Amino acid sequence: MKKFTPASVVLTVVLVSSPTFSGQVLAQQFVSDPLEPVNTKVHAFNQFMDKHFLLPVARGYRKYIPGPARQGVSNFFSNIGDISVLANNLLQMKLEAAANDTGRIMINTTIGIGGLLDVATAIGFTPNDEDFGQTLGYWGIGTGPYIVLPLFGPSTLRDAIGFSVDTATNPISHQDNVRIRNSAFALEQLDKRVDAMSVESLITGDPYIFMREAYLQQREYLVNDGQANQDWDQEWDWD
């Protein structure tokens, strides 16, 4: 999920590891970007914030925090994220996937010591990737215009709505202690930024265009559960 870190970088982790992605954007397809003048300015702001604030902290985190501890942090937030994945699989009527998600949560929360260990994956409960933006797409809601959100990065109108819902339903958002809630939120974004460091060098050409096309194609891929849509034309269905 796309949260407080300049997600234009974090998204690269997902994009370049996808079966549909090989470090370069797929064949360019028609993209309607009516907000491009504003989007490019927001993208530049996000890049500035990342370069001068988040990236230096991420480098220090990777340098001074042992690998096993960082992996435990990643596993913990992944376990929390599985709750949202489960809810969205249920909303999409994917009952087999939802059963898998339930098993992951139960196993990792108990045997995995609150999610610090990913025992579920090791025994065959593979992670799924679902969010409310994908759920809206599953039920036929169009993407709407491409948007670059301040600090959050690439999105669309549909995904921005989905992100709001996912954020509101995240258990961390309901932590009463503000200090704990904000610290957990910041740590999650830091963990994502560290993950992105190993692949961000694969961004080629114009970074704005690269991330826009990669984001839109990857989201289409996820909404279709891995079935690339050759006739995708970025239709808007918001009338």
Side-chain angles (χ1 to χ4, degrees), residues 15 85 89 213 226:
L15 296 170
V85 173
N89 269 321
E213 296 184 3

Side-chain angles (χ1 to χ4, degrees), residues 1 61 65-85 101 104-122 125 127-128 170 172 184 187-192 194-195:
M1 280 184 251
Y61 178 74
I65 303 301
R70 298 199 308 269
Q71 186 61 56
V73 169
S74 296
N75 292 341
F76 174 79
F77 287 115
S78 178
N79 188 51
I80 292 177
D82 279 342
I83 298 174
S84 176
V85 173
D101 300 332
R104 284 185 55 81
I105 295 169
M106 293 177 62
I107 292 169
N108 285 340
T109 301
T110 54
I111 303 175
I113 316 175
L116 294 177
L117 302 175
D118 185 6
V119 180
T121 298
F125 288 82
N128 293 311
N170 189 316
I172 294 177
L187 182 58
E188 183 178 11
Q189 310 322 310
L190 181 59
D191 172 66
K192 291 181 179 180
V194 170
D195 283 344

